[in-house]
Amino acid sequence: MTNEHCPICGQGNNCCYGREKSLGECWCTEEAFPQAIFEAIEEEDLYKKCICKGCLDQFKEKL
Protein backbone atom coordinates (compact mmCIF):
# COMPACT_ATOMS: atom_id res chain seq x y z
CA MET A 1 0.00 0.00 0.00
CA THR A 2 2.87 2.41 0.67
CA ASN A 3 5.34 3.69 -1.88
CA GLU A 4 9.05 4.40 -1.61
CA HIS A 5 8.69 8.02 -2.77
CA CYS A 6 7.34 10.96 -0.81
CA PRO A 7 4.08 12.29 -2.29
CA ILE A 8 5.18 15.87 -1.58
CA CYS A 9 8.75 16.07 -2.91
CA GLY A 10 9.09 12.80 -4.86
CA GLN A 11 12.31 11.81 -3.08
CA GLY A 12 12.82 8.52 -1.22
CA ASN A 13 10.86 8.43 2.02
CA ASN A 14 12.97 5.78 3.81
CA CYS A 15 9.83 4.06 5.04
CA CYS A 16 10.75 0.51 5.93
CA TYR A 17 7.07 -0.44 5.89
CA GLY A 18 6.97 0.48 2.20
CA ARG A 19 10.00 -1.68 1.44
CA GLU A 20 9.95 -4.62 3.81
CA LYS A 21 8.22 -4.87 7.16
CA SER A 22 10.88 -7.25 8.48
CA LEU A 23 13.29 -4.28 8.67
CA GLY A 24 11.68 -3.39 12.00
CA GLU A 25 10.09 -0.22 13.27
CA CYS A 26 10.04 2.69 10.86
CA TRP A 27 11.26 6.19 11.75
CA CYS A 28 7.71 7.46 11.27
CA THR A 29 6.36 5.57 14.28
CA GLU A 30 8.21 7.99 16.57
CA GLU A 31 6.94 11.12 14.77
CA ALA A 32 3.83 13.26 15.06
CA PHE A 33 2.30 14.22 11.72
CA PRO A 34 0.20 17.40 11.89
CA GLN A 35 -3.15 16.83 10.21
CA ALA A 36 -2.57 19.86 7.97
CA ILE A 37 0.40 18.21 6.22
CA PHE A 38 -1.98 15.78 4.56
CA GLU A 39 -3.60 18.71 2.72
CA ALA A 40 -0.39 18.99 0.65
CA ILE A 41 -0.94 15.51 -0.82
CA GLU A 42 -2.93 14.73 -3.94
CA GLU A 43 -6.11 12.80 -3.14
CA GLU A 44 -5.03 9.70 -5.11
CA ASP A 45 -1.84 9.47 -2.99
CA LEU A 46 -3.43 10.29 0.35
CA TYR A 47 -2.70 7.57 2.91
CA LYS A 48 -1.06 5.47 0.18
CA LYS A 49 2.38 7.09 -0.01
CA CYS A 50 4.54 7.92 3.00
CA ILE A 51 5.79 11.45 3.65
CA CYS A 52 9.57 11.75 4.01
CA LYS A 53 11.29 13.07 7.13
CA GLY A 54 12.61 16.12 5.26
CA CYS A 55 9.14 17.26 4.22
CA LEU A 56 7.78 16.57 7.69
CA ASP A 57 10.57 18.59 9.34
CA GLN A 58 10.14 21.49 6.89
CA PHE A 59 6.41 21.55 7.49
CA LYS A 60 6.85 21.57 11.27
CA GLU A 61 9.38 24.44 11.04
CA LYS A 62 6.72 26.56 9.33
CA LEU A 63 4.19 26.04 12.12
Side-chain angles (χ1 to χ4, degrees):
M1 182 193 272
T2 58
N3 189 293
E4 292 183 14
H5 296 94
C6 175
I8 297 172
C9 71
Q11 299 298 311
N13 56 26
N14 291 321
C15 179
C16 68
Y17 295 143
R19 287 186 274 158
E20 187 175 328
K21 292 183 181 187
S22 68
L23 294 173
E25 289 294 312
C26 186
W27 65 268
C28 64
T29 62
E30 300 294 320
E31 295 288 339
F33 288 78
Q35 187 61 36
I37 197 170
F38 298 107
E39 295 172 9
I41 301 173
E42 298 289 328
E43 189 172 338
E44 65 266 11
D45 293 332
L46 195 58
Y47 305 110
K48 295 177 183 163
K49 294 183 178 180
C50 298
I51 299 166
C52 73
K53 179 113 170 77
C55 285
L56 177 62
D57 289 345
Q58 285 180 359
F59 186 87
K60 286 181 175 180
E61 285 176 10
K62 294 176 185 177
L63 293 179

